[in-house]
Amino acid sequence: MIGPSGAGKDSLLAYARGRLPAESGVMFAHRYITRPADAGGENHVALSAEEFDARERRGCFALAWRRHGLAYGLGVETAMWLEQGLDVVVNGSRAMLPRAAERFATLRPLWITASPEVLAARLAGRGRESAEAIARRLGESAGFAPPPGCVELVNDGRLEDAGERLLALLAKAG
């Protein structure tokens, strides 16, 4: 899953994770992030910058990147799950999509989006960034477009509506 901040990726992941049975063959990867665990948003593994760098040097990440002053990583377990034939859902990065496609041959990107008004309201509501930072994120998101062949899921309305569309897409993937 990729898309701009505020599109609701974390909420959709939580919605799907809570409704898919364990035997579905779908795994939800946690990201390793240099952000405190209590910062709100996604369920991630919080690491200090030093610990992240040490893990990266030791090959603990299948993919790692830096964005908005934070470091993000997908653990090697992600690659292991894919090798076992499982479907893996990841909260990814639009900017990292080309590298992710090189690393994971079976990648099927899902573009989560919302209107600029909804994005602005959600970003302001989470209270993690200044108005200037939000404006930068919104300006940046306008420069991204779904790549060819990417499935797009608009999450402007009720979480349940977009969540059910996500579950239907995951059912097709398996």
Side-chain angles (χ1 to χ4, degrees):
M1 298 174 69
I2 54 176
S5 293
K9 298 180 300 289
D10 297 328
S11 297
L12 287 169
L13 283 169
Y15 185 92
R17 184 182 286 122
R19 285 161 179 78
L20 280 176
E23 61 276 354
S24 69
V26 175
M27 302 295 286
F28 293 88
H30 288 88
R31 294 194 298 183
Y32 297 80
I33 308 175
T34 56
R35 175 171 58 209
D38 61 356
E42 76 182 279
N43 179 8
H44 67 282
V45 178
L47 299 176
S48 69
E50 296 78 17
E51 186 176 10
F52 188 97
D53 291 343
R55 287 183 185 216
E56 187 174 26
R57 282 192 308 276
R58 291 181 177 103
C60 296
F61 299 123
L63 189 65
W65 66 95
R66 278 137 182 92
R67 196 91 173 118
H68 302 295
L70 299 172
Y72 297 83
L74 297 177
V76 293
E77 66 274 12
T78 305
M80 181 186 72
W81 293 334
L82 290 168
E83 289 167 6
Q84 292 176 4
L86 298 167
D87 289 319
V88 181
V89 181
V90 171
N91 181 348
S93 166
R94 294 164 297 170
M96 288 301 299
L97 185 57
R99 242 179 81 202
E102 288 174 9
R103 175 67 176 90
F104 304 110
T106 59
L107 179 75
R108 292 178 299 216
L110 173 60
W111 189 270
I112 309 297
T113 192
S115 68
E117 298 79 18
V118 169
L119 294 176
R122 288 179 182 161
L123 289 172
R126 69 185 189 184
R128 287 195 305 218
E129 298 161 305
S130 68
E132 294 80 22
I134 291 171
R136 271 194 310 276
R137 281 191 184 256
L138 292 172
E140 181 183 87
S141 71
F144 283 96
C150 185
V151 174
E152 187 172 357
L153 193 159
V154 178
N155 183 22
D156 259 356
R158 294 179 339 125
L159 175 62
E160 295 78 16
D161 296 336
E164 289 302 316
R165 288 193 302 275
L166 174 58
L167 288 172
L169 289 169
L170 292 175
K172 285 183 192 176

